[in-house]
Structure formats: C-alpha cells, structure tokens
C-alpha cells in the first residue's frame, strides 16, 4: 500500500492512530428527476416530513446533552442549526421550488442551498461567512433523511481506534464522538473557527480539517496517523513511521503525569526557551516551568537593541503565559559564540572569545545595558513567578557586583513607584570549574543554582564547544566533569540551596539516571525532550541507581565509567 501525507489545518491537537472509516456525503450524490404534477403535494409532504424528523433529531441531541464532558458552547451550536432549519429560507423556499420546477425534494433543497451559500460568501465578516458551513451541514442532514440514511454516524470499532474521514461534519455529528469514542476525524472542508472545530477542541479529539480531497484519496480501512499539532495526516504509514508515532502518542499521555521515580522521588522537569514564541511548545510538553530563558536571543538578528519596554513585554508575556509556574530568566549571555553587531562595537572581537568579555563580565562592564534588562525583568516579576539567573559567574566579587546592580534596579523602580516582586529569587549559573571548587561563595549569596553543563564541560576540558576540530574531545562523561557536577549537586543539597541542570546533559536520555543518582531533582531542557525524560524518570529507581553512580563518581577510568553507565541504563 502506498504511503502518503495529506496536509490540512489541525484544529484540535494531539495524535491518534487508527483505521479510516469513510462517511458518505449526501450533498454530492443528489439526483435530479422530474415529479408529475399530481405528485407534487406528496413530494412537498416528503420534504416536510424530513425537516420534521431532523428537527426532532436535533432536539433529542439537545436533550441528551448533560454531563461535564460536553463543551458548554455545544447547546448554542445546536440551537443555531435548529434556527437555520426552521428559517423560511430553508424550510419553505424549497417547497416553492418543488412546485414551480416540478423537481424532487433533494434537488430543490440543494438548489436553495446554493442560493444561500452564495449570499454567505458575500459577507465580509469572517465569522459570519463561516456560518455558511452551518447551512450546508443542516442541508446535509435533511438530505440524508430524504435519501433514507439517517444522520447517525457509523459505529466505531470496539477493537481498533476508528478515524472518521468526511467531506464535512456538523457539530451534531462531532458530539456523537462522545458515545462512539472515535480516535480523531478529518474533513475536506472546515476552518479553525468552525463550530465543528470548536466542539472537537472541547472534546479533546485530534482533528485536521481543510484537507481538500482527503475523503476521495483515502479508502475505508486504511491505517491513518492524524497529527492535530503538526497539521498532517499520514496514510498507510510504513512500519518505522508507525513505530515512531506510536511512541509519540504514548509519550503524550504522560503530559500531565507528575515525574516521580519508582521509589517516590519527585522530579521537576523545566523547559529551556529562547523567545516568547517557544511558550506554546513548553505548555504542550507539560513542563513544570521555564528553567532557562536565554534572554540574549531578544538581542540577536535585529537592528539596534531591545528597549526596556520591549524586553518587559517579552518577559511579562511568558510569565503570564506560565500561569504561576516558575520562569527563570537568565540575564543576557552575549559574547563568545553569541555576538551582536548592533551593540556598536561594544563586544569587541576578542583574541579568545570564550575566555573574554562574555555574559556577566560584559554586563558588569556595560552597566547601562545591564540595568535596563534588570529593570525589565523586575517589572515582569510583578506579573508572575519570575526568577533571575546570572550566567558565567566565577567569583564572590562578581556575585556581589551583580547583586548590587539588582538592588540599584529595584531602587530606581521603587523611586518611580513601579511595582515589582521585592523578593524575586536570584540564582547563579555553575559553568566554570572555579564555581564548583569555591561553591561556598555561591551557596551563601544566592537563592538557587543552575549547572550549565555545556560551558562547564568546555571550561573543564579546555575544549571550545564551537570548534569542530576539537569536538571529539568534548566529553560529558569525562571523570573530571562527573566529579564537578556531583560535587555541585551534593554541596547544594547539604546547604539546602535548590540546584538544577540546564545544559544539554539534562535532556540526554542516556544521562537521566546518572543525574538522578547524583541527587538531581530539577532538570531543564529543550521542550522536545521533556516527555521522553519523564518516561525515563518514571521507570527509574534511585535506590538502585545511587550505588552505581557513586562508583562512577569515584573512578578516573573512562572505560569503567562507560561500563557503569550501561548498567545504569539496563
Ligand atoms: C550551558 O552552558 O550549559 C547553558 C545552559 O548555557 P548556554 O548553552 O546558553 O551557554
Ligand atoms: Mg552557558
């Protein structure tokens, strides 16, 4: 069977895998035949009977809607259909057409529908224009009655997930999903604001609409993957694609599950973001918060610098969007590989950029820029659960200077009467070996720590992380790296200072148990990794892992480290 992909508009998120079930489409199958004069009255009566039956059908559906799982808007949508059905333009006009043209009721009804649809197409307001599909759906329902095919959808298979493939579906069709338990649906027609789409979202059923001709391309019984997030339908996926999709579908179910290990350790899984737009992915992955907002990306790829207000808006939008979950904003880390031409030469081309004027060093050298950002972050703290994180700290002196700048930013806001959270927590990144070896200065001055393993590895092994020529030497499992990470986590735990890992190691499945065994309970990673890491956490037993990790931390032999890691991941 040929595998192919159909694109549409995902109007309701999630993934479903199942067999296609085609829904017949009465409007496309209407015959046109003449009615003898003597039978016109009977034909009109047949039309009236069909309208009456659909009326009762809608009323019965309305009456059966109770319970919390029915979306609130649904009653209103049915009322709209009931009103369209009872409007003279639909209930009366076709009777006149039957009498005048001596044609069958189905034909008369579709003729009248064409007139109405044309009128709707001329409406400017997109919401009202889309109500044309409600008219078509009501007509479709009456046609099915006239043609002797009542409106109920085919029964879903109880053994396999069924995916409905239709030219169009009405909200009344979609509500039947509740009792039939269809896995998903796709339609040729429809748009994001159609009532059908709104009901689908309310029922939490993945749906892709506006596929144009999916119904003509798909055959009954074919296997479909409907991905409402990616706006696609895969028809007859090959085994590899199916396996990947099944895994993704399985992982999605973990979204709301707390990440607890088998022996009851609760783990917080946070997301790393670069721009406010990333928030959607964060929420979709079910992250517990944002553990690292790399704010320097607001400064890159643009002319000039973002103003205080512009930064404030960006931080505030994420803080609000997280609905009380924590948002850790790292003050900008420019320099090294992330340079900014627009800084007007403020970041000079250093002879050795990673060891040069980067991150907090640059901020302290340019206090005006730093203060602007700190004020923007503090202002945003009034609107959510905001924390400040300072990158690349190496010494107590730098921490004190950064804290003094934060105090100064607070003071200036206070003077202007601008609200902010006076207790906003301030944390530091552990990215330089010196920070681990003299961690006491960090533990006494800061509210939390976050290990940036990307830089910690670079600086521990003296391997430029951006230089391909030495990338083979960049090794997260180097015994020295493991000792530094282990020490940092243990020291923070002893001092009761929260500590996270926010470098790439946090999102690497091979290393999840290693970090858990070191005592880490807070990970921050690209949102795409969160569900897979959660699954690993859920199947981990810290009591079994810990002695193996202790041995990994003690050895200086990389071969032993590799062997112990295999045991950990067995
Ligand atoms: C890190 O160094 O591990 C880190 C998270 O920061 P960045 O990758 O942005 O330098
Ligand atoms: Mg870093």
């Amino acid at each position: 069977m040929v595998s192919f992909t159909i694109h549409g508009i995902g109007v309701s998120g999630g993934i479903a895998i199942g067999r296609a079930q085609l829904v017949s489409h009465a409007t496309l199958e209407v015959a046109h035949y003449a009615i003898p004069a003597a039978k016109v009255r009977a034909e009109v009566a047949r039309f009236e009977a069909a309208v009456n039956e659909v009326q009762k059908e809608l009323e019965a559906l309305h009456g059966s809607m109770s319970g919390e799982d029915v979306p609130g808007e649904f009653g209103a949508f049915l009322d709209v259909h009931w009103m369209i059905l009872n409007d003279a333009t639909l209930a009366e006009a076709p009777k006149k057409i039957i009498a005048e043209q001596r044609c069958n009721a189905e034909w008369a009804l579709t003729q009248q529908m064409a007139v109405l649809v044309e009128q709707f197409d001329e409406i400017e307001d997109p919401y009202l224009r889309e109500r044309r599909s409600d008219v078509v759906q009501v007509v479709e329902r009456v046609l099915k009655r006239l043609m002797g095919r009542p409106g109920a959808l085919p029964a879903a298979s109880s053994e396999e997930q069924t995916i409905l493939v239709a030219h169009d579906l009405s909200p009344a069709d979609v509500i039947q999903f509740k009792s039939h338990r269809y896995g998903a649906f796709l339609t040729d027609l429809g748009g994001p604001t159609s009532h059908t789409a709104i009901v689908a979202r309310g029922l939490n059923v993945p749906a892709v609409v506006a596929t144009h001709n999916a119904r003509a391309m798909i055959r009954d019984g074919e296997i479909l993957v409907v991905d409402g997030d990616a706006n696609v339908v895969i028809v007859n996926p090959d085994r590899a694609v199916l396996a990947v999709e099944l895994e993704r579908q399985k992982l999605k179910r973990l979204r709301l599950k707390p990440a607890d290990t088998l022996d009851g350790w609760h783990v917080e899984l946070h997301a790393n973001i670069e721009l406010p737009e990333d928030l959607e992915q964060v929420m979709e992955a079910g992250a517990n918060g944002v553990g690292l907002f790399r704010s320097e990306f607001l400064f890159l790829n643009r002319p000039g610098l973002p103003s205080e207000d512009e930064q404030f808006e960006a931080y505030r939008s994420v803080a609000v969007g997280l609905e009380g979950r924590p948002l850790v904003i790292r003050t900008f880390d420019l320099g090294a590989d992330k340079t900014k031409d627009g800084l007007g030469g403020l970041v000079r081309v250093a002879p050795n950029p990673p060891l040069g004027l980067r991150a907090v060093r640059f901020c302290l050298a340019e206090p005006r820029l730093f203060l602007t950002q700190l004020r923007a972050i503090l202002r945003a703290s009034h609107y959510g659960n905001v924390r400040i994180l300072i990158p690349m700290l190496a010494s107590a002196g730098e921490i004190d200077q950064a804290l003094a700048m934060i105090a100064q930013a607070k003071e200036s806001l206070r003077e202007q009467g601008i609200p902010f959270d006076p207790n906003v927590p301030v944390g530091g990144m552990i990215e330089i070996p010196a920070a681990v070896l003299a961690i006491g200065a960090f533990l006494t001055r800061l509210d939390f720590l976050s290990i940036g393993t990307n830089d910690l590895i670079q600086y521990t092994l003296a391997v430029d992380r951006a230089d391909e020529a030495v990338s083979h030497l960049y090794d997260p499992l180097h015994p020295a790296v493991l000792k530094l990470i282990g020490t940092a986590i243990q020291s923070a735990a002893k001092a009761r200072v929260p500590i996270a890992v926010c470098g790439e190691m946090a999102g690497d499945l091979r290393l999840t148990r290693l970090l858990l065994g070191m005592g880490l309970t807070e990970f921050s990673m690209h949102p795409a990794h969160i569900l897979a890491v959660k699954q690993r956490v859920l199947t981990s037993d810290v009591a079994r892992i810990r002695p193996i990790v202790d041995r990994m931390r003690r050895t200086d032999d990389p071969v032993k480290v590799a062997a112990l890691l295999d045991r950990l991941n067995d």
Side-chain angles (χ1 to χ4, degrees):
M1 267 189 272
V2 192
S3 171
F4 58 97
T5 303
I6 296 174
H7 294 265
I9 304 172
V11 291
S12 179
I15 299 171
I17 301 171
R19 282 196 191 275
Q21 182 145 9
L22 302 195
V23 180
S24 72
H25 176 42
T27 325
L28 297 178
E29 299 163 16
V30 167
H32 180 194
Y33 51 90
I35 301 288
K39 297 235 168 111
V40 162
R41 276 169 70 107
E43 191 64 7
V44 168
R46 193 167 75 85
F47 173 73
E48 285 174 338
V51 169
N52 272 334
E53 278 162 24
V54 172
Q55 225 170 45
K56 281 192 204 128
E57 213 174 274
L58 292 177
E59 283 160 11
L61 264 175
H62 208 303
S64 70
M65 284 178 357
S66 54
E68 285 162 9
D69 50 346
V70 178
E73 314 95 323
F74 191 70
F77 296 164
L78 280 186
D79 289 343
V80 169
H81 279 205
W82 195 91
M83 273 154 53
I84 292 171
L85 183 65
N86 284 283
D87 194 275
T89 53
L90 222 121
E92 297 300 322
K95 292 195 225 167
K96 233 171 119 194
I97 298 174
I98 296 171
E100 282 171 10
Q101 298 184 14
R102 303 231 180 114
C103 64
N104 55 319
E106 292 90 339
W107 186 254
L109 181 56
T110 45
Q111 293 294 98
Q112 179 59 13
M113 178 186 79
V115 172
L116 294 175
V117 161
E118 207 170 305
Q119 289 171 3
F120 270 92
D121 280 343
E122 281 165 15
I123 297 177
E124 295 228 337
D125 181 294
Y127 179 81
L128 287 178
R129 197 168 55 236
E130 205 165 309
R131 299 288 70 77
R132 104 205 248 286
S133 58
D134 290 297
V135 172
V136 175
Q137 287 165 356
V138 171
V139 168
E140 174 85 8
R141 237 179 155 76
V142 179
L143 281 176
K144 280 186 173 161
R145 278 281 162 188
L146 285 168
M147 294 159 100
R149 294 193 233 125
L153 293 172
S157 157
S158 54
E159 283 141 36
E160 284 183 302
Q161 186 138 264
T162 303
I163 292 172
L164 277 192
V165 182
H167 184 63
D168 193 15
L169 288 171
S170 70
D173 291 328
V174 177
I175 197 65
Q176 295 177 44
F177 280 37
K178 193 166 70 79
S179 45
H180 284 319
R181 310 221 168 278
Y182 295 105
F185 74 80
L186 50 136
T187 58
D188 292 344
L189 305 183
T193 59
S194 67
H195 285 161
T196 308
I198 295 168
V199 173
R201 278 196 286 276
L203 289 174
N204 220 355
V205 182
V208 176
V209 304
T211 58
H212 300 297
N213 50 5
R215 200 189 164 283
M217 291 166 76
I218 296 170
R219 291 200 206 105
D220 253 326
E222 285 185 315
I223 299 273
L224 305 179
V225 177
V226 179
D227 189 334
D229 300 316
N231 304 315
V232 292
V233 179
I234 306 170
V235 185
N236 297 318
D238 62 34
R239 284 166 68 129
V241 171
L242 195 57
V244 169
E245 292 298 337
L246 280 168
E247 187 57 24
R248 278 185 63 200
Q249 191 189 26
K250 229 168 66 195
L251 286 180
K252 283 233 158 183
R253 292 198 202 117
L254 299 181
R255 201 180 150 261
L256 298 176
K257 207 174 161 65
D260 293 338
T261 65
L262 290 171
D263 50 345
W265 286 84
H266 177 66
V267 177
E268 290 280 303
L269 300 177
H270 294 235
N272 294 352
I273 64 167
E274 279 145 22
L275 290 168
E277 295 90 279
D278 301 335
L279 184 65
E280 198 181 326
Q281 214 191 341
V282 173
M283 300 305 272
E284 235 164 58
N288 299 119
V290 165
L292 176 68
F293 182 166
R294 290 183 162 103
S295 68
E296 61 274 13
F297 282 86
L298 295 174
F299 292 66
L300 302 174
N301 303 321
R302 52 165 293 152
L305 295 170
S307 66
E308 180 184 311
D309 282 349
E310 202 179 331
Q311 289 188 59
F312 161 66
E313 272 311 324
Y315 305 142
R316 192 187 64 94
S317 72
V318 181
V320 170
L322 282 170
E323 296 167 349
R325 296 175 188 84
L327 164 61
V328 176
I329 303 174
R330 175 175 76 185
T331 55
F332 63 86
D333 180 359
L334 291 167
D337 56 336
K338 288 172 277 198
T339 51
K340 164 77 183 154
D341 303 335
L343 290 182
L346 286 175
V347 179
R348 65 200 168 97
V349 181
N352 196 341
L355 301 186
L357 200 60
R358 181 193 159 182
V360 72
R361 302 172 181 183
F362 175 65
C363 287
L364 295 176
E366 292 297 332
R368 243 177 357 98
L369 290 185
F370 196 28
L371 273 176
T372 302
Q373 177 172 44
L374 291 173
R375 279 175 54 100
I377 298 175
L378 285 166
R379 283 170 60 190
S381 72
H382 181 64
Y383 299 89
N385 187 355
V386 173
R387 301 167 191 186
I388 300 175
L389 179 63
I390 314 286
M392 271 272 293
L393 289 165
S395 64
E398 276 171 343
I399 302 174
D400 291 339
Q401 285 181 67
L403 291 175
M405 295 285 285
I406 293 170
Q408 192 182 330
K410 282 182 178 175
E411 193 46 45
S412 70
L413 290 174
R414 219 174 265 126
E415 275 166 16
Q416 289 173 288
I418 299 174
F420 63 92
D421 172 6
N423 301 315
V424 61
V426 180
M429 287 193 75
I430 304 288
E431 306 189 270
I432 301 177
V436 182
L437 299 172
I439 201 163
F442 286 66
L443 295 170
T444 49
R445 289 170 167 80
L446 295 162
D447 301 313
F448 67 97
L449 302 177
S450 191
I451 308 176
T453 50
N454 305 340
D455 278 314
L456 187 62
I457 296 165
Q458 148 164 286
Y459 295 126
T460 304
L461 304 179
V463 173
D464 186 339
R465 62 193 259 200
D467 184 351
E468 273 198 28
V470 286
S471 63
H472 61 289
L473 300 173
Y474 187 91
D475 179 14
L477 290 169
H478 190 293
V481 172
L482 298 188
K483 283 182 216 279
L484 287 170
I485 297 173
T487 303
I489 295 172
Q490 219 165 37
S491 312
K494 220 182 263 171
R496 296 185 182 279
V497 173
I499 188 163
V501 168
C502 65
E504 296 309 295
M505 282 180 79
D508 186 340
L509 269 187
R510 263 182 341 136
L511 308 178
T512 308
R513 288 186 179 153
L514 167 67
L515 294 170
L516 283 173
M518 288 178 171
L520 190 77
T521 55
E522 218 181 298
F523 294 62
S524 193
M525 66 197 80
H526 190 283
H529 301 311
I530 286 184
L531 291 171
V533 169
K534 187 185 282 189
Q535 192 180 38
R536 182 55 63 102
V537 170
L538 290 167
T539 55
S540 296
D541 179 353
V542 176
R544 179 188 85 83
I545 291 169
R546 193 163 271 162
I548 304 173
V549 174
D550 284 347
R551 285 175 57 194
M552 286 175 89
R553 285 181 56 196
R554 280 195 301 268
T555 182
D556 289 335
D557 178 355
V559 178
K560 249 191 200 159
V561 168
L564 289 166
L565 186 71
D566 284 345
R567 267 188 58 194
L568 217 48
N569 288 328
D570 264 351

